[in-house]
Amino acid sequence: MLKINNLHAEVDGKPILKGVDLTINAGEIHAIMGPNGAGKSTLSYVLAGRPGYEVTEGSATLDGEDLLALEPHERAAAGLFLGFQYPVEIPGVSNLQFLRTALNAQRKSRGEAELSGGEFLKVARAQADGLGLNMDMLKRPVNVGFSGGEKKRNEMVQMGIIDPKLAILDETDSGLDIDALRVIGEGINRIMRTPEKGVLLITHYQRLLDYVQPHFVHVLAAGRIVRSGGPELALELEREGYGAIAA
Ligand SMILES: Nc1ncnc2c1ncn2[C@@H]1O[C@H](COP(=O)(O)OP(=O)(O)OP(=O)(O)O)[C@@H](O)[C@H]1O
Ligand SMILES: [Mg+2]
């Protein structure tokens, strides 16, 4: 489903990604770990089409479609979802307004019928319940004044509503309390662990992977994937650190 080939990218003229190769097939969950500053978030931004991130070489396709040629909103309509390491606050726009607009724009561009207010509320309520987020939070402006953990929970509610084909989740586990980690983990499994979907989890810790068991684990260091393995690789990293691998 996602095919990344020899991807090079720079920010402000500074090369960050230096030849990333990664394939995620439908039904697979992949985890990327790696030292701070390795380029993990950069990879997610490049795939999502964030302005300022320039691809200098290589390719990325989603179900055969050239992702890099699409506008960010077209990538979303093609089924790509990015959960941010630092979710942005949008004052003045309620979560519900924001999500309904986003969902209906995507449905429209796929030639699907838009959801009415009532239909949308049903979907939103089901997702909020599933992730233990009070509906009142969905009426508040997007992420404004939310605690760190509430923002992450809100991101997962967004993902549930949008129902993407491929989700890239950048440190979705950071800042979560112990119970929230389990709830979010179960949410990711419920929403994304299906034969048609794919997930790329960016994380620093094995903990999340206890709940969301990945098929493959990769280490990104200095802009390249330097090692790949199964779930046992995460355990090895936890024990031994990146020293030997990322040096
Ligand atoms: N606008 C920018 N100008 C210069 N350097 C940048 C810019 N944006 C990112 N970088 C650099 O790119 C490198 C990769 O950053 P990135 O956020 O992708 O790392 P990361 O692997 O996600 O790290 P972390 O685990 O800390 O989240 C870092 O050295 C960062 O300082
Ligand atoms: Mg990061």
Side-chain angles (χ1 to χ4, degrees), residues 11-17 34-45 52-53 85-86 170-171 202 204 220:
V11 185
D12 277 345
K14 182 181 164 195
I16 312 277
L17 300 184
N36 293 133
K40 303 181 298 297
S41 294
T42 300
L43 176 63
S44 71
Y45 290 145
Y53 290 73
Q85 182 172 1
Y86 304 108
D170 193 356
E171 297 197 27
I202 298 172
H204 283 297
L220 186 75

Side-chain angles (χ1 to χ4, degrees), residues 81 99 103 123-124 126-128 131 153-164 187-188 190-192 197:
F81 176 89
L99 284 167
L103 179 63
V123 174
Q127 292 302 331
L131 287 149
R153 230 177 250 246
N154 195 35
E155 293 261 300
M156 291 304 97
V157 173
Q158 292 179 6
M159 181 172 82
I161 292 173
I162 297 288
D163 196 23
I188 295 172
R190 175 172 50 80
I191 300 164
M192 297 302 298
K197 296 186 172 186

Side-chain angles (χ1 to χ4, degrees), residues 163-186:
D163 196 23
K165 196 151 68 179
L166 177 75
I168 302 173
L169 304 178
D170 193 356
E171 297 197 27
T172 293
D173 50 343
S174 74
L176 294 178
D177 69 44
I178 292 159
D179 293 334
L181 186 65
R182 180 177 44 79
V183 171
I184 296 271
E186 289 168 357

